[in-house]
Amino acid sequence: MPMETHSRLLILLLITLIIFLTPSTPPPNSHTRTLIAASAHRLALLRNSTYGHPGNRTALGLPEGGVVPPEGVREVWRGVKKGVLGAAEGGRGGGGGRGGWGEGWENATGTVMGEWTRLAEGGKGKKWGGEGEKGEWQRNLTAGVDAGRITVTIEDTRDTKQAGEVVREVAASVSVQDADGAGMVAVRLMGVHWPRSGEMVLASTSERFGGLFALPHFVDNAQGYNDSKTLLLKTLGAVIARQERTLSADAPWVDVEEFDETLPRCDYIAYLQLHPVPATALFLDVPASGAPAGLVSQTMRRIERELRMPTGETLPAPPPLVASALLYSPTCGVALSTDAMRGEKLELIRASVSRLGLGAAAVAAAQTALLIRQMNESATPSTVSRVSFWTIVMLAVVDGYWFFVFMVAAIYIDACYLPLFTASFVHLVLLSMFEMRFLVQTYRVQRPERPTPPDTPTPTAAPTPTPPPAPAALPPGTLPLPATAATPPTPPPSTASQIRTEISALHTRFYLLLLLLLFLTLHSLTWPPRARETLLLLLLTATNSPWLPQLYRNILRGSRKPFTAEFVAGTALCRLAPAAYLFLYAGNVFRVAPRPGAVLALAAWEGVQAAALGVHAVLGPRFGVPAGWAPEVFEYHTPLPDAETGEGGADGRDCAICMQPVEAPVGARDGGEEAVGLLERRAHMVTPCRHVFHTPCLEGWMRYRLQCPICRTALPAL
């Protein structure tokens, strides 16, 4: 009862923490009204501005004098566009959306990754203006490094190009790291996208930098300025009207990341150009003169429509999403460029996540089938006593962990809810209906083996000698004490309520361990890449080490064949599946680089454990273990007793179970134990009462009864 009360208090405490830690919408205050008024003022500046004349630069957070970005940055971007689109389109400047090539993705929603390099204005380390070197600046992407990795997640606002549409809104999340994958800085950008040309101009927005409100002035030509200004006046005006109506400062351009408001931070302007799709990426046979005019564009529109609304139409495989970008900070004076970042469309990423969920569900279903067959084999106290309790714990912890992971993923990824929920549900069934039941069954059977704390003796004036108590009968459904015990202690009496309390505590500790592992995984997302990689390898190694406790129990108790070969091999393959997906499949959704060596090492480790279990089954658990390293146990596979000495059975060599003779190995009568081969002795078993049986016969009998079939003497468990 105290343990049940403790569990209820723990659950109540968790619910209270969730309630108090859940963020709530604060009431409007003077700061909120100030932010809304500042946004309205910036919108008015945009409405009254003209190309090249943004108006009040201080209110927009722009440096005084000159164009933003400077002409040097704009020239670099023109060169990038020229390299991607060719001389005709590259020289048009920003916003060349009226006309363009049209042979690429119109909807760019997806993720691209690549390498970035730092650009220097004159010599190495010289900055493009800005004040980033004066004091400490937050979100400084290139502080102390000149190259690294970059990930850009694009969120296009429309699925298709509308009639008469020239430009549309777009958002992007940029994550920049150094070459080792450390020092990650994330930036949220919003801007405009010319779907016909594939060009985007984006900017971050903060209280000190009105990037989105000044964005038309970052475009490199008057036509692009007019297109983006018309769009932003409409969309920004609608958002500010909603803010004024609801007195809420929430807006798409508000950065959710927390900053120290006493320190300045770097704001950014980004230029991004999608690469056109070559005809060779869609068709196998392309004539030397090129594909027919409009064929690539028509095929790309059909591919986008099929991804958005699948109908089963036969089309070429969707090409990758490729983009080049330039990122510039007017406040910190840094610029970096990246060429030919590659990635996938969001629909393809979702399809990969769905396949991952269904594949995980299939692996969990296979593991469930294997466990059911194993539980049928381990259906008696004798067979359950061979199984290591901690091996089942390790298997259950891993499956419970995957249940929580897929459930959290299903909650946050709405588009892939069904396959992810299916994976979570199958793991839940495996955990709660089978593994936990097997775990509790193993605990009940092996409970008498567990040491109990000694009672504190009560002082007496003069101890009175008492006769030794008679051996107490074991509760039904439990095994005799292990043969390793020299003087079998009498276990304390246990009631049903005590066992229920212990099992309740077992469940509580188990699920708390799962929650701790889940929180550790979530917290590791903020760790440096090397630390995350080390944790991943440690978790995979632990996942593929479930047989170590079983090997230890085999040696300690002299147990053989705790699991079937089918269960061991099938479980090993299921445990290797996550590592194979991460390190062998280059298209995994986590973008983990292939590492075949890691998979081979884990497979070899699983093979070593499985081979050791096989050796225990064939040659015995003490094979190769030096004498004295483990407590003594009764050895059933000894040389046959000599019938002439009267130590054999009634007829000397007949098995009382199958009524067939037991063949004596050569050398048993005159050479003793040393003259009998190890494998030959495995064909028969000799009980402590010196009765002889075939090994399969007695093992089958002992699955149900731990008594000699002839004289009913208690037999030590295998």
Side-chain angles (χ1 to χ4, degrees):
M1 185 62 68
M3 182 59 67
E4 295 178 357
T5 303
H6 176 71
S7 300
R8 294 193 187 101
L9 291 176
L10 180 61
I11 294 175
L12 181 61
L13 177 61
L14 291 176
I15 295 175
T16 304
L17 289 175
I18 292 174
I19 293 175
F20 279 98
L21 294 179
T22 300
S24 58
T25 304
N29 51 34
S30 59
H31 182 64
T32 301
R33 293 184 173 89
T34 301
L35 292 178
I36 297 175
S39 298
H41 177 59
R42 288 173 172 176
L43 182 63
L45 292 176
L46 174 61
R47 183 179 295 109
N48 298 326
S49 67
T50 58
Y51 180 59
H53 301 282
N56 189 344
R57 289 176 173 261
T58 302
L60 295 174
L62 301 178
E64 296 294 338
V67 296
V68 179
E71 186 58 32
V73 174
R74 294 176 181 247
E75 188 61 34
V76 171
W77 179 240
R78 294 190 195 107
V80 172
K81 286 186 60 182
K82 183 176 180 180
V84 173
L85 303 179
E89 288 299 323
R92 294 174 60 94
R98 299 183 181 275
W101 41 272
E103 296 184 348
W105 296 100
E106 283 191 350
N107 180 284
T109 301
T111 300
V112 291
M113 296 180 291
E115 307 291 329
W116 64 266
T117 56
R118 181 171 178 172
L119 301 177
E121 184 177 10
K124 182 178 180 180
K126 187 175 181 181
K127 306 177 79 66
W128 299 82
E131 302 178 355
E133 291 181 344
K134 298 179 180 179
E136 181 182 356
W137 283 67
Q138 302 176 90
R139 204 164 63 180
N140 192 345
L141 297 180
T142 59
V145 293
D146 294 322
R149 301 165 57 186
I150 183 171
T151 301
V152 180
T153 300
I154 305 169
E155 304 169 21
D156 225 330
T157 56
R158 293 186 184 274
D159 292 332
T160 59
K161 181 177 178 293
Q162 305 296 314
E165 181 187 51
V166 176
V167 65
R168 64 173 68 156
E169 280 189 303
V170 68
S173 298
V174 180
S175 173
V176 179
Q177 300 172 310
D178 60 21
D180 295 329
M184 184 179 72
V185 176
V187 183
R188 176 72 174 177
L189 307 170
M190 290 197 67
V192 293
H193 173 206
W194 285 266
R196 185 64 181 168
S197 67
E199 183 180 3
M200 304 178 196
V201 181
L202 309 98
S204 62
T205 304
S206 63
E207 294 185 34
R208 303 184 183 186
F209 182 69
L212 189 58
F213 296 89
L215 187 138
H217 299 281
F218 306 151
V219 183
D220 207 22
N221 59 61
Q223 184 60 61
Y225 166 84
N226 292 328
D227 293 340
S228 56
K229 177 181 177 180
T230 302
L231 174 66
L232 292 176
L233 287 176
K234 178 181 177 181
T235 57
L236 298 181
V239 173
I240 293 175
R242 177 182 56 80
Q243 288 181 322
E244 294 174 340
R245 184 174 63 256
T246 61
L247 292 180
S248 172
D250 292 337
W253 59 81
V254 175
D255 202 328
V256 297
E257 186 177 356
E258 295 183 0
F259 294 95
D260 185 353
E261 297 298 336
T262 62
L263 296 175
R265 64 176 180 263
C266 300
D267 285 289
Y268 292 90
I269 301 169
Y271 296 94
L272 191 142
Q273 177 64 58
L274 299 179
H275 287 219
V277 176
T280 53
L282 299 175
F283 311 107
L284 294 178
D285 299 324
V286 179
S289 58
L295 179 60
V296 173
S297 178
Q298 294 173 8
T299 305
M300 289 300 300
R301 302 295 82 76
R302 292 167 61 192
I303 290 176
E304 288 192 277
R305 184 171 60 251
E306 179 66 20
L307 289 177
R308 189 172 61 257
M309 296 179 295
T311 61
E313 182 181 2
T314 302
L315 291 169
L321 190 64
V322 186
S324 295
L326 186 147
L327 200 62
Y328 167 73
S329 173
T331 52
C332 289
V334 295
L336 60 89
S337 67
T338 176
D339 185 36
M341 296 181 293
R342 299 178 68 87
E344 287 184 322
K345 284 273 292 172
L346 177 63
E347 295 85 352
L348 298 177
I349 296 176
R350 288 174 175 171
S352 298
V353 174
S354 297
R355 289 193 297 270
L356 172 62
L358 295 177
V363 172
Q367 183 68 59
T368 303
L370 291 168
L371 184 60
I372 291 174
R373 294 171 65 89
Q374 178 60 48
M375 291 176 68
N376 291 333
E377 292 290 327
S378 303
T380 63
S382 175
T383 52
V384 172
S385 69
R386 308 176 196 174
V387 175
S388 170
F389 173 81
W390 293 107
T391 290
I392 306 302
V393 167
M394 294 179 68
L395 295 176
V397 165
V398 172
D399 292 317
Y401 175 82
W402 288 124
F403 157 69
F404 278 114
V405 167
F406 283 110
M407 178 55 68
V408 172
I411 293 173
Y412 282 96
I413 308 176
D414 295 337
C416 305
Y417 176 81
L418 188 58
L420 292 176
F421 178 78
T422 300
S424 177
F425 177 75
V426 177
H427 280 94
L428 176 63
V429 170
L430 171 60
L431 171 68
S432 60
M433 295 185 63
F434 299 103
E435 287 178 330
M436 290 305 296
R437 189 174 71 176
F438 197 18
L439 192 66
V440 170
Q441 181 185 9
T442 306
Y443 180 84
R444 287 179 181 273
V445 171
Q446 299 178 7
R447 186 173 179 270
E449 303 175 14
R450 301 181 181 278
T452 56
D455 296 331
T456 303
T458 303
T460 57
T464 303
T466 57
L474 293 175
T478 59
L479 293 174
L481 292 172
T484 56
T487 304
T490 302
S494 300
T495 63
S497 61
Q498 288 176 331
I499 296 178
R500 285 197 300 268
T501 300
E502 293 175 4
I503 293 176
S504 175
L506 178 67
H507 280 82
T508 301
R509 294 168 186 157
F510 179 82
Y511 288 110
L512 281 178
L513 176 61
L514 287 181
L515 288 176
L516 288 176
L517 284 176
L518 182 62
F519 289 145
L520 175 65
T521 303
L522 295 176
H523 188 265
S524 68
L525 298 178
T526 63
W527 296 0
R530 293 189 183 276
R532 291 200 305 269
E533 182 180 357
T534 301
L535 176 63
L536 175 62
L537 294 176
L538 288 176
L539 290 177
L540 289 175
T541 303
T543 299
N544 290 276
S545 304
W547 315 117
L548 292 181
Q550 185 62 62
L551 293 171
Y552 175 77
R553 182 174 180 82
N554 287 356
I555 296 173
L556 183 67
R557 291 181 54 86
S559 302
R560 295 175 56 246
K561 300 181 181 179
F563 300 113
T564 63
E566 175 191 60
F567 180 77
V568 173
T571 301
L573 292 177
C574 291
R575 300 302 167 182
L576 282 172
Y581 176 79
L582 286 176
F583 297 139
L584 293 183
Y585 180 45
N588 65 83
V589 297
F590 305 101
R591 298 297 184 266
V592 177
R595 296 181 60 179
V599 180
L600 291 177
L602 290 174
W605 176 234
E606 281 276 9
V608 168
Q609 297 173 77
L613 289 174
V615 170
H616 286 185
V618 176
L619 302 180
R622 297 296 178 88
F623 178 77
V625 178
W629 283 28
E632 292 291 334
V633 295
F634 181 77
E635 175 58 55
Y636 282 93
H637 300 283
T638 59
L640 288 174
D642 195 340
E644 296 179 359
T645 64
E647 297 177 351
D651 55 357
R653 296 292 179 267
D654 286 343
C655 174
I657 299 176
C658 67
M659 306 305 295
Q660 298 296 321
V662 179
E663 298 294 336
V666 177
R669 290 180 172 83
D670 53 5
E673 183 174 351
E674 293 78 7
V676 181
L678 183 62
L679 293 178
E680 293 174 327
R681 296 203 308 266
R682 297 297 168 189
H684 69 274
M685 297 176 68
V686 181
T687 63
C689 50
R690 308 304 288 170
H691 293 124
V692 183
F693 305 91
H694 293 113
T695 295
C697 296
L698 188 59
E699 286 183 346
W701 172 273
M702 294 180 67
R703 285 173 55 86
Y704 303 98
R705 290 179 178 273
L706 291 178
Q707 292 179 336
C708 176
I710 298 176
C711 64
R712 305 304 180 187
T713 301
L715 300 179
L718 291 176

